[in-house]
């Protein structure tokens, strides 16, 4: 785990050559670990990314009385048989909002839970009202006490739930309760993200009856009990893959991105093609070739899956700073997610913000500077910018990046980047 003072020193203008093996998805492993609370026996989770977020979730499970063992082969064994304390404290939830994923499985298993409300995040408020309203409609009694959600569920009954906006986390939490409720639950405007699909498939293996997986309407027929399963393997991280694709496009070179499911990256691939980047798609990998020049300005909007992911918005913005003209990015998921603009501008980018639309002037020559990461994906954009910039850039607060990227400096060094972690 990285120390709080770690920073990256990056010397730019070196092209990237070689191959990158993508790790398991952060946004899949966290709900799968939460779901293992419902497994009540040992489960081996394979292809687990080494991230501080995976460690936070394992601490949380241990705090509740469960046991998590990390193996050397990127797998973990979660044993929730003795888990008996349905309580998620503030000090863990505040470092990782996805801790809130334990609320659903705790309620389904213990009929009660006390979980800290996550606070805001670097780019603004991130409410959990959809989670709480959805749970209430399944019969859960909820009160907020001293910053905690205190929830009780004597009887869980299926219902019709419509989310005002698609929410990944709320879909996951509601599904994990509805599978053990009496009767049928229908969720409309449900998330179709691959990570939610994987969670639903794992739950079905355990005996749940969820249909409509991968669409925006989920139908869940409640069952009396679940049966334990022995193993699940985390899907590849489409955001990490997308980050390396955009890095290769921006910095230039020839890179093979391996261990991925290209289908999960369709919107990103389409945008890269529109931007004139040379891409060759294979079964489980993508080859990308770029000279870092002749990039065409391409307007995008972030959207729910299968749209362009908000988690790649910052990285894409960086790429567009090198493109041949003006382009725009409209952020439809988190209207305030733009803290990276000021840092990118310090490296010589020219980005303005009008409402939730970023306007990017391309054709920029970036020059190294000292910058600061503000969140996981903003940090990734800064790393890409630094790799394109002339001279040296330092990026402080890399603990943000350690939350979501598995050994990013090693993976980049292996393809020729000059990036060093310093303390
Ligand atoms: C997940 C991802 C995160 C990604 C995001 C959007 C994980 C661990 N994290 O976060 O990386 O950026 O999806 O793809 O998977 N909302 C409400 N009320 C709620 C819940 C959500 O208003 O109760 C709003 C949010 O403010 C946001 C939108 O719904 O505008 C989508 O958020 P959501 O899908 O819930 O994000 P997370 O699940 O937290």
């Amino acid at each position: 785990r990285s120390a709080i003072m770690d920073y990256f020193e990056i010397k730019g203008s070196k092209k990237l050559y070689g191959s990158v093996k993508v790790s398991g998805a952060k946004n899949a492993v966290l709900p799968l670990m939460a779901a293992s609370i419902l497994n009540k026996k040992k489960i081996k989770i394979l292809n687990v990314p080494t991230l501080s977020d995976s460690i936070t979730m394992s601490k949380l499970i241990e705090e509740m009385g469960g046991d998590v063992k990390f193996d050397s082969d990127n797998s973990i064994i979660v044993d929730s048989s003795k888990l008996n304390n349905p309580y998620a404290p503030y000090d863990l939830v505040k470092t990782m909002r996805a801790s809130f994923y334990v609320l659903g499985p705790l309620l389904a298993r213990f009929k009660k839970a006390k979980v800290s409300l996550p606070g805001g995040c670097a780019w603004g408020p991130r409410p959990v009202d959809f989670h709480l309203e959805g749970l209430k409609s399944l019969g859960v009694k909820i009160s907020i006490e001293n910053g905690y959600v205190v929830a009780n569920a004597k009887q869980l009954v299926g219902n019709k739930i419509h989310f005002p906006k698609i929410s990944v986390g709320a879909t996951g939490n509601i599904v994990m309760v509805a599978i053990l409720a009496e009767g049928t639950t229908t969720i409309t405007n449900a998330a179709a993200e691959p990570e939610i699909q994987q969670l639903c498939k794992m739950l079905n293996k355990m005996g749940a009856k969820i249909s409509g997986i991968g669409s925006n309407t989920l139908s869940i027929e409640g069952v009396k009990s679940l049966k334990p399963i022995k193993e699940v393997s985390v899907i590849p991280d489409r955001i990490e893959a997308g980050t390396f694709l955009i890095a290769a496009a921006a910095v230039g070179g020839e890179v093979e991105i391996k261990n991925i499911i290209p289908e999960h990256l369709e919107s990103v691939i389409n945008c890269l093609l529109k931007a004139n980047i040379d891409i060759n798609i294979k079964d489980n990998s993508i080859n990308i070739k770029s000279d870092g020049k002749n990039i065409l300005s391409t307007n995008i909007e972030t959207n729910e899956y299968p749209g362009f992911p908000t988690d790649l918005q910052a990285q894409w913005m960086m790429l567009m700073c090198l493109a041949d003209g003006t382009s725009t990015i409209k952020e439809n998921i988190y209207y305030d997610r733009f803290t990276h603009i000021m840092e990118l501008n310090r490296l010589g980018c020219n980005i303005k913000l009008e409402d939730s639309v970023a306007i990017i002037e391309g054709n920029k020559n970036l020059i190294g500077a000292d910058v600061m990461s503000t969140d996981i994906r903003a940090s990734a954009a800064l790393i890409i910018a630094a790799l394109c910039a002339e001279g040296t850039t330092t990026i402080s607060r890399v603990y943000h990046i350690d939350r979501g990227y598995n050994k990013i400096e090693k993976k980049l060094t292996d393809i020729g980047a000059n990036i060093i972690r310093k303390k």
Side-chain angles (χ1 to χ4, degrees), residues 26-27 30 97-98 101 125-131 165-169 193 310-311 333-334 337:
K26 168 179 99 68
N27 289 352
L30 300 173
R97 296 177 46 85
Y101 262 129
R126 288 179 71 181
V128 288
D129 50 333
F130 304 165
H131 302 239
K165 185 175 172 65
I166 291 177
S167 161
V168 174
E193 268 66 6
T310 174
D311 288 348
I333 309 294
Y334 295 113
R337 187 178 201 174

Side-chain angles (χ1 to χ4, degrees), residues 2 6 65 85 124 129 152 173 208 289 296 365 377 406:
S2 77
D6 284 11
N85 182 19
D129 50 333
N152 284 284
N173 251 333
K289 206 166 139 185
L296 298 182
N365 286 320
R377 310 304 168 185
N406 193 357

Side-chain angles (χ1 to χ4, degrees), residues 30-76:
L30 300 173
L32 297 190
M33 287 175 81
S36 66
I37 293 173
L38 292 170
N39 200 53
K40 295 188 192 168
K41 280 218 165 127
K42 279 187 188 168
I43 180 168
K44 183 167 181 160
I45 308 183
L46 301 131
N47 199 31
V48 171
T50 314
L51 307 170
S52 60
D53 272 10
S54 325
I55 294 166
T56 304
M57 186 57 98
S58 71
K59 277 191 187 155
L60 182 53
I61 291 172
E62 286 183 333
E63 182 111 355
M64 295 188 290
D67 183 63
V68 183
K69 285 203 169 57
F70 282 78
D71 269 353
S72 50
D73 61 343
N74 289 334
S75 70
I76 60 173

Side-chain angles (χ1 to χ4, degrees), residues 83-324:
L83 193 139
N84 60 0
N85 182 19
Y87 170 64
Y90 176 59
D91 62 339
L92 289 174
V93 181
K94 77 173 182 214
T95 60
M96 183 184 77
R97 296 177 46 85
S99 309
F100 208 66
Y101 262 129
V102 300
L103 180 58
L106 289 176
L107 275 171
R109 177 164 166 185
F110 298 100
K111 306 286 180 275
K112 61 174 187 179
K114 185 174 171 184
V115 175
S116 170
L117 273 172
C121 92
W123 72 80
R126 288 179 71 181
V128 288
D129 50 333
F130 304 165
H131 302 239
L132 302 185
E133 289 309 314
L135 291 172
K136 281 183 197 165
S137 68
L138 297 178
V140 180
K141 299 264 175 300
I142 290 177
S143 60
I144 307 294
E145 293 169 23
N146 310 107
Y148 281 80
V149 175
V150 180
N152 284 284
K154 286 212 177 66
Q155 208 186 3
L156 295 168
V157 189
N159 207 339
K160 288 194 165 62
I161 295 172
H162 177 82
F163 291 129
K165 185 175 172 65
I166 291 177
S167 161
V168 174
T171 303
N173 251 333
I174 300 302
V175 164
M176 286 191 273
V177 174
I179 50 172
L180 285 162
E182 217 181 287
T184 303
T185 299
T186 314
I187 310 178
T188 45
N189 227 10
E193 268 66 6
E195 296 76 21
I196 290 295
Q197 294 184 32
Q198 177 164 47
L199 171 68
C200 291
K201 286 179 192 158
M202 167 178 168
L203 295 168
N204 276 354
K205 279 219 174 98
M206 291 162 68
K209 290 192 172 156
I210 309 165
S211 57
I213 299 172
S215 79
N216 294 115
T217 304
L218 293 173
S219 178
I220 304 144
E221 202 185 310
V223 296
K224 290 237 154 18
S225 62
L226 300 171
K227 55 177 196 292
I229 58 168
K230 291 208 170 74
E231 216 175 80
V232 62
S233 178
V234 181
I235 55 169
D237 197 313
R238 62 195 168 98
I239 305 301
E240 187 196 3
T243 300
F244 278 106
L245 282 171
I246 296 171
V251 182
E254 216 175 322
V255 180
E256 182 190 22
I257 317 284
K258 296 200 295 196
N259 275 30
I260 58 169
I261 302 176
E263 189 195 326
H264 292 169
L265 285 151
E266 207 179 309
S267 61
V268 182
I269 292 168
N270 286 338
C271 290
L272 285 166
L273 290 172
K274 274 193 206 151
N276 195 31
I277 307 296
D278 185 352
I279 281 179
N280 186 359
I281 304 164
K282 308 214 174 113
D283 285 348
N284 302 106
S285 65
I286 297 178
N287 286 353
I288 178 164
K289 206 166 139 185
S290 167
D291 56 7
K293 298 185 186 100
N294 306 313
I295 300 166
L296 298 182
S297 53
T298 309
N299 300 337
I300 67 152
E301 280 187 33
T302 62
N303 272 309
E304 293 87 358
Y305 188 81
F308 193 97
T310 174
D311 288 348
L312 288 172
Q313 181 251 102
Q315 299 89 315
W316 184 266
M317 189 181 289
M318 162 52 221
L319 178 65
M320 285 301 107
C321 294
L322 309 178
D324 66 339

